[in-house]
Amino acid sequence: MTLEREAAAELFGLSGTFPRPGWVVLDAARENRFTGELVFDVFPEVRAYLDRGEIYLVERPSDPSLGARLVDAGALNAAQLERGAMRIGGTEHLGRLFERAPSVDRLAVLVTTEMMNDSCVTWLARQNIRGVEAVPYHRHESGIHRWERAAAEDELVPGDPLPAPASTQAPVEQAPPVFEERTFSDGLIEWDEPSWLDDRSTAFSDSARAASPTAEPASSARHRPRSIDADWIDKLADEGLPEPGDDPLAVPASMPVRSAPTPDRFEIIWPSGAVDEEFGLSDTADRDAHPDQDRAGPTARIGGYDGVDPTNPVIDTGRWDLETTPPSFSAVPEVVSGDAVRSAEHERDVTDEVVLSVRRAVASIETGSLAARRRLASQTPESVPQIVPGRSATGDDAAADPTTEPTIRRPPSQSVFDEDSPTDLPPTLTAADAATADEHDIEPTRVSALRRLIGGLRRN
Amino acid sequence: MTAVATARTEHVFKLLVTGPFAAGKTSLIQAISQTPIVETDVDTTGSEAAIKVRTTVAMDFGTYAIDDGDIRLLMFGTPGQRRFWFMTDIMKGDVDAVIFVVDAEAEHTHADAGAEMRSLLRDIRVPVVVAVNRCDDREGAKRLARRLGALASEASVPCQLIRSPSAREVTTEALLSVLDRMEREHASVHDPLDRVLALAAAG
């Protein structure tokens, strides 16, 4: 099994034209969006590695390793290289450099690599190339093609026409402000959805300006960034909310002045644009029966709310259905008295049987496996392994409880259909076996074996 | 004459190659295996016959060995059809890493691929490498992998599995993920702070 070398001349349509300047070959590789390795027949030999036509590494075989060059250039220090590189045979894999050594200055490494590439490509472009061999899809062994560079979503493919402007697009007379000057109030909760009130705020501003003798024309004022003073919510605080049926433009500039909200009151502006100034006031007689129901419709349907007497609340957990929000004792402080809180705290002391039942249900839903259900059903609460398979459970529950005796854990990779591991291990060792055996003895040789295996795969 | 038992340590690494129908799983194993792969291919029937002539119904098996067979890589390929997913459940139990192959251009398979990947990720905790076949764009491969349910930490590799260098890169990436994981676990075990804490707990 050898690498599939091809004559790049045929690959790029340059057959029979050599010797050619290096830049011609590089340009042909770019136009063909070549991915792989190019070996240039020039003295000294140069190897270029490309990804969709873009060179990510150029080097001569006589060059030191990339890691050593980065250390020499000062982009890395030796400790970072030692920590970030994975040594496989005689090569160092830098593909996970930034993940393994987070202290590495990513930009410095990228820029240094680019500068080294740049000097080599500049030299190569001027040379007369006698021939080129290509190995499509062969990556550099350092693995630096894994380094994430700038996102390529906006990149235009050569030859593609530029996107035509939309026919309905009007010419821009004046660019809209990039940032709007806004202030945030601690007592204000605001959705970032566009609201019809936002337009009305402009009307507020315009009408206020019209009343002022020094007001500028509304057409020019509309394109300006809104000042803090003209923010519509400030107007609402001072002048109150107009009725929805009213023409916003007909709202007089001077509305009845109301007192500014005290710090213990705040307004809620719902997505519909309605403003609930009295949210949280328990003494309001005509407030909605459902505090969770806004004026645009219910947003949090709690099925068990009806009929709850605020003076004697009885929380019936049996009435919650699957479509309701689970009861949260911290979420309904206004209607729960001290007795209810005490009963809620009492209910928190759930028994092990309840925990086991929940675990069974979750396992059944998660795996859909009858085998898993039967296995869990046959276990007592004391023997339940504190491991939920899969990536959703990465914590070590046994470690959380210092009183728990360390138990032999099932290999996490086992299928839900598997029975417990046999006590006699097979003669060969796998990762799952290694987890139950003495890791200190096995790991170094296994790691070394894996390194040799990767090296062997790469050499062929 | 006394028989002398030689202490040969064998190391076996197992890779599961899974993914939807006609994604390139068998091609990947064929590109790596040093021995003729054991396959269970039969003539494809039904609507799938329009896509390819023969298909795997139980498993593919390929091997790669170095050091006179002391270090072996075993590759197990699963059938891609939904009705054979139980084979994946059987085989995923004892592997070192999973290569999930998906064809970037066969968009009609992506829904099944997503369901299979999410099911897989729930049950295993070994590294998963998403091999996005017929794709050259690393960002595109990453986006597709995330769309199918892969975590950000799962490696995704754009590849052309009809090219053996590309298939080797996918396999190498899977083994590197295993190595990375083993080194991290080893490092955490031998971390000086961990050792001090362990001694304090023992004392």
Side-chain angles (χ1 to χ4, degrees), chain A residues 29-43:
Chain A
R30 182 189 61 79
E31 283 193 352
N32 286 277
R33 294 173 70 76
F34 175 76
T35 296
E37 177 188 13
L38 289 177
V39 184
F40 290 86
D41 186 3
V42 64
F43 184 80

Side-chain angles (χ1 to χ4, degrees), chain A residues 325-348:
Chain A
T325 307
S328 169
F329 299 113
S330 60
V332 285
E334 297 89 356
V335 296
V336 179
S337 66
D339 291 338
V341 170
R342 278 190 292 276
S343 76
E345 285 174 352
H346 176 71
E347 286 191 21
R348 242 180 256 165

Side-chain angles (χ1 to χ4, degrees), chain A residues 1 3-4 6 51-52 86 88 93 96 99-100 136-139 145-146 148 153 366-367 387 389-391 393 409 412-418 428-432 440 443 445-447 449-454 456-458 460, chain B residues 10-14 31-32 64 66-67 71-73 89 92-94 96 121-126 128 136-138 142-143 151 154-155 160 163-166 168-169 171-173 175-180 182-184 186 189-190:
Chain A
M1 195 163 55
L3 293 178
E4 300 160 349
E6 297 179 14
D51 187 356
R52 289 179 297 151
M86 299 169 75
I88 300 156
H93 182 82
R96 290 173 167 78
E99 290 89 353
R100 289 166 64 95
Y137 299 104
H138 183 238
R139 310 283 190 172
H145 60 276
R146 291 186 84 253
E148 288 180 7
E153 283 95 336
E366 289 281 313
T367 64
I387 300 169
R391 278 160 168 66
R409 296 169 53 157
S413 63
Q414 279 196 318
S415 162
V416 293
F417 294 95
D418 289 344
T428 58
L429 295 164
T430 65
H440 298 268
E443 282 295 311
T445 58
R446 189 166 170 78
V447 167
L450 184 52
R451 285 197 181 117
R452 291 210 296 279
L453 182 61
I454 295 169
L457 263 173
R458 283 184 155 172
N460 287 322
Chain B
E10 289 187 350
H11 291 282
V12 177
F13 298 91
K14 298 177 185 175
I32 301 297
Y64 181 92
I66 60 170
D67 291 1
I71 301 172
R72 285 184 291 156
L73 172 67
D89 284 331
K92 73 188 175 190
D94 185 18
D96 295 288
L121 291 177
R122 273 200 297 268
D123 274 356
I124 61 170
R125 276 201 265 170
V126 295
V128 174
D136 281 345
D137 178 10
R138 182 161 292 277
K142 193 168 190 176
R143 278 198 299 273
L151 306 179
E154 321 281 11
Q160 304 283 342
R163 300 274 190 175
S164 60
S166 196
R168 273 199 297 278
E169 192 206 340
T171 310
T172 305
E173 186 66 40
L175 294 176
L176 283 169
S177 299
V178 178
L179 179 61
D180 188 39
M182 289 168 74
E183 285 189 348
R184 283 169 190 260
H186 191 254
V189 167
H190 294 279

Side-chain angles (χ1 to χ4, degrees), chain A residues 201-218 221-222 224-227 230:
Chain A
S201 68
T202 310
F204 270 121
S205 311
D206 293 346
S207 57
R209 281 192 202 95
S212 165
T214 58
E216 294 179 16
R222 191 169 287 122
R224 287 183 154 198
R226 280 178 294 167
S227 66

Side-chain angles (χ1 to χ4, degrees), chain A residues 367-420:
Chain A
T367 64
S369 160
L370 185 61
R373 217 171 299 154
R374 284 175 180 161
R375 191 163 60 224
L376 283 168
S378 67
Q379 287 169 331
T380 59
E382 290 75 20
S383 65
V384 173
Q386 302 291 307
I387 300 169
V388 178
R391 278 160 168 66
S392 57
T394 54
D396 189 351
D397 292 352
D401 184 2
T403 61
T404 307
E405 286 293 320
T407 56
I408 296 174
R409 296 169 53 157
R410 280 168 55 84
S413 63
Q414 279 196 318
S415 162
V416 293
F417 294 95
D418 289 344
E419 294 303 324
D420 288 331

Side-chain angles (χ1 to χ4, degrees), chain A residues 221-267:
Chain A
R222 191 169 287 122
H223 293 293
R224 287 183 154 198
R226 280 178 294 167
S227 66
I228 300 172
D229 294 335
D231 200 39
W232 66 277
I233 194 62
D234 294 324
K235 290 285 180 186
L236 285 180
D238 294 333
E239 301 168 356
L241 179 70
E243 289 301 317
D246 292 344
D247 181 5
L249 293 173
V251 174
S254 57
M255 292 187 71
V257 178
R258 298 178 62 173
S259 60
T262 55
D264 57 340
R265 295 174 59 191
F266 61 91
E267 296 175 344

Side-chain angles (χ1 to χ4, degrees), chain A residues 121-437:
Chain A
V121 168
T122 306
W123 176 84
L124 180 65
R126 293 173 183 156
Q127 304 302 309
N128 245 1
I129 309 297
R130 294 186 291 270
V132 180
E133 280 188 344
V135 189
Y137 299 104
H138 183 238
R139 310 283 190 172
H140 190 258
E141 57 193 11
S142 68
I144 67 164
H145 60 276
R146 291 186 84 253
W147 293 353
E148 288 180 7
R149 293 173 174 79
E153 283 95 336
D154 301 331
E155 172 184 307
L156 283 174
V157 177
D160 281 0
L162 288 170
S167 57
T168 56
Q169 205 170 353
V172 179
E173 293 174 355
Q174 189 174 354
V178 177
F179 297 106
E180 289 189 354
E181 199 173 358
R182 303 291 295 268
T183 57
F184 296 95
S185 166
D186 289 337
L188 175 69
I189 300 171
E190 185 180 355
W191 274 262
D192 55 359
E193 292 181 14
S195 167
W196 62 273
L197 282 170
D198 218 10
D199 292 330
R200 182 170 14 192
S201 68
T202 310
F204 270 121
S205 311
D206 293 346
S207 57
R209 281 192 202 95
S212 165
T214 58
E216 294 179 16
S219 58
S220 62
R222 191 169 287 122
H223 293 293
R224 287 183 154 198
R226 280 178 294 167
S227 66
I228 300 172
D229 294 335
D231 200 39
W232 66 277
I233 194 62
D234 294 324
K235 290 285 180 186
L236 285 180
D238 294 333
E239 301 168 356
L241 179 70
E243 289 301 317
D246 292 344
D247 181 5
L249 293 173
V251 174
S254 57
M255 292 187 71
V257 178
R258 298 178 62 173
S259 60
T262 55
D264 57 340
R265 295 174 59 191
F266 61 91
E267 296 175 344
I268 287 190
I269 302 164
W270 298 99
S272 61
V275 178
D276 193 347
E277 298 174 358
E278 298 174 346
F279 185 86
L281 295 181
S282 57
D283 56 350
T284 307
D286 58 345
R287 63 176 302 186
D288 291 336
H290 293 266
D292 300 295
Q293 185 169 8
D294 66 27
R295 294 175 190 173
T299 54
R301 296 173 182 81
I302 300 180
Y305 185 80
D306 284 340
V308 173
D309 182 4
T311 60
N312 185 22
V314 178
I315 298 172
D316 182 8
T317 54
R319 295 179 63 189
W320 308 103
D321 58 43
L322 287 175
E323 293 182 359
T324 59
T325 307
S328 169
F329 299 113
S330 60
V332 285
E334 297 89 356
V335 296
V336 179
S337 66
D339 291 338
V341 170
R342 278 190 292 276
S343 76
E345 285 174 352
H346 176 71
E347 286 191 21
R348 242 180 256 165
D349 299 328
V350 288
T351 60
D352 288 342
E353 285 77 13
V354 175
V355 171
L356 179 60
S357 302
V358 172
R359 284 183 185 277
R360 281 178 187 154
V362 170
S364 299
I365 294 166
E366 289 281 313
T367 64
S369 160
L370 185 61
R373 217 171 299 154
R374 284 175 180 161
R375 191 163 60 224
L376 283 168
S378 67
Q379 287 169 331
T380 59
E382 290 75 20
S383 65
V384 173
Q386 302 291 307
I387 300 169
V388 178
R391 278 160 168 66
S392 57
T394 54
D396 189 351
D397 292 352
D401 184 2
T403 61
T404 307
E405 286 293 320
T407 56
I408 296 174
R409 296 169 53 157
R410 280 168 55 84
S413 63
Q414 279 196 318
S415 162
V416 293
F417 294 95
D418 289 344
E419 294 303 324
D420 288 331
S421 301
T423 51
D424 50 340
L425 294 173
T428 58
L429 295 164
T430 65
D433 301 329
T436 57

